[in-house]
Amino acid sequence: DAGVIQSPRHEVTEMGQEVTLRCKPISGHNSLFWYRQTMMRGLELLIYFNNNVPIDDSGMPEDRFSAKMPNASFSTLKIQPSEPRDSAVYFCASSRIQGMSEQYFGPGTRLTVT
Amino acid sequence: DQQVKQNSPSLSVQEGRISILNCDYTNSMFDYFLWYKKYPAEGPTFLISISSIKDKNEDGRFTVFLNKSAKHLSLHIVPSQPGDSAVYFCAASAKWTQGGSEKLVFGKGMKLTVNP
């Protein structure tokens, strides 16, 4: 079974540009999570969805960030406009709502904003 | 305000010896705790978990201990192997607490190096 798939793996963009990160969760998982990892703040939750519905977006840093989950097999995280301080590794993870809380992570997207 | 703390950034041990990784938390609503392992350029992978109704959970070479009164948990790896060298994250959730959530709060991680 394929794990969580993220694309692109690396993204380099200039300040002010729009960036879209993509995630395909594991089939059958009904929770999806977006995380950001930086040296300063570690691994922090940005937003999570249950059954495609956003449940908690309190970690989204500001209005420049938005996330959507149009169906059970696809989610996007968009940054518009991007800034150098957005440079980080962004992870997507998925899990089943029922049962234990093990989340399965994708390989991450390394974003560099110059 | 860090709710999950891994106070030591790194640990180096000899192959075959025990590795002990520590984690402290401040939120008494947390009722489920997990350890993840992360290799460079990969996402974190789930290692072992424990719910607050237990004080120990064992899986092969990995054992997690929970001390609720001290709000402390630890991961023991015995015997340590060079392939265990990675960054280890402690995480916690209030999954079954009233108003509970799927949300995991992570520590900043600890780099374990196991020397051959």
Side-chain angles (χ1 to χ4, degrees), chain B residues 7-20:
Chain B
N7 292 319
S8 300
S10 63
L11 174 67
S12 183
V13 300
Q14 215 49 40
E15 181 178 6
R17 298 288 186 99
I18 184 172
S19 295
I20 300 177

Side-chain angles (χ1 to χ4, degrees), chain A residues 43 103 105, chain B residues 21 34-40 42-48 61-62 75 77 81-90 106 110 112:
Chain A
L43 196 60
Q103 295 177 14
F105 283 75
Chain B
L21 291 73
L34 307 89
W35 284 93
Y36 280 79
K37 179 168 74 173
K38 184 183 181 305
Y39 293 118
E42 294 182 12
T45 55
F46 170 73
L47 194 56
I48 192 170
R61 297 186 297 114
F62 303 91
L75 175 68
I77 306 174
Q81 299 174 354
D84 296 329
S85 298
V87 175
Y88 288 78
F89 291 94
C90 171
F106 282 83
M110 171 196 247
L112 173 67

Side-chain angles (χ1 to χ4, degrees), chain A residues 12 17 46 48 56 72 92 97 100 110:
Chain A
V12 180
Q17 296 298 304
L46 302 177
Y48 82 92
D56 185 341
C92 175
I97 295 175
M100 299 298 105
R110 180 172 292 277

Side-chain angles (χ1 to χ4, degrees), chain B residues 2 16 18 22 27 34 37 45-46 50 56 61 63 66 72 75 78 81 86 91 93 95 105 107 110:
Chain B
Q2 255 191 294
I18 184 172
N22 294 305
N27 189 341
L34 307 89
K37 179 168 74 173
T45 55
F46 170 73
I50 188 168
K56 176 182 173 181
R61 297 186 297 114
T63 303
L66 176 62
H72 176 85
L75 175 68
V78 183
Q81 299 174 354
S93 79
K95 182 170 175 67
V105 179
M110 171 196 247

Side-chain angles (χ1 to χ4, degrees), chain A residues 9 31 33 35 37 40-41 43 45 48 50 56 58 91 96-97 99-103 105-107, chain B residues 32 34 36 38 41-46 49 89 93 95-96 100-108:
Chain A
R9 291 295 308 274
S31 289
F33 306 80
Y35 290 89
Q37 185 184 22
M40 286 292 291
R41 301 176 66 90
L43 196 60
L45 179 68
Y48 82 92
N50 280 353
D56 185 341
S58 58
F91 290 103
R96 289 191 177 87
I97 295 175
M100 299 298 105
S101 293
E102 297 93 81
Q103 295 177 14
F105 283 75
Chain B
Y32 191 63
L34 307 89
Y36 280 79
K38 184 183 181 305
E42 294 182 12
T45 55
F46 170 73
S49 63
F89 291 94
S93 79
K95 182 170 175 67
W96 292 291
S101 152
E102 304 292 319
K103 186 174 176 176
L104 289 182
V105 179
F106 282 83
K108 287 194 173 181

Side-chain angles (χ1 to χ4, degrees), chain A residues 2-6 23-26 29 32 92-95 104-108:
Chain A
V4 175
I5 299 172
Q6 290 187 248
C23 175
K24 177 178 168 54
I26 293 172
H29 283 189
L32 183 138
C92 175
S94 69
S95 71
Y104 294 82
F105 283 75

Side-chain angles (χ1 to χ4, degrees), chain A residues 21-73:
Chain A
L21 311 181
R22 296 173 176 79
C23 175
K24 177 178 168 54
I26 293 172
S27 177
H29 283 189
N30 43 15
S31 289
L32 183 138
F33 306 80
W34 281 102
Y35 290 89
R36 178 172 68 176
Q37 185 184 22
T38 61
M39 289 293 291
M40 286 292 291
R41 301 176 66 90
L43 196 60
E44 52 180 345
L45 179 68
L46 302 177
I47 184 171
Y48 82 92
F49 297 82
N50 280 353
N51 294 319
N52 313 338
V53 176
I55 301 300
D56 185 341
D57 65 354
S58 58
M60 294 287 261
E62 43 196 281
D63 291 345
R64 298 184 297 107
F65 286 69
S66 63
K68 293 182 179 179
M69 192 164 185
N71 56 62
S73 58

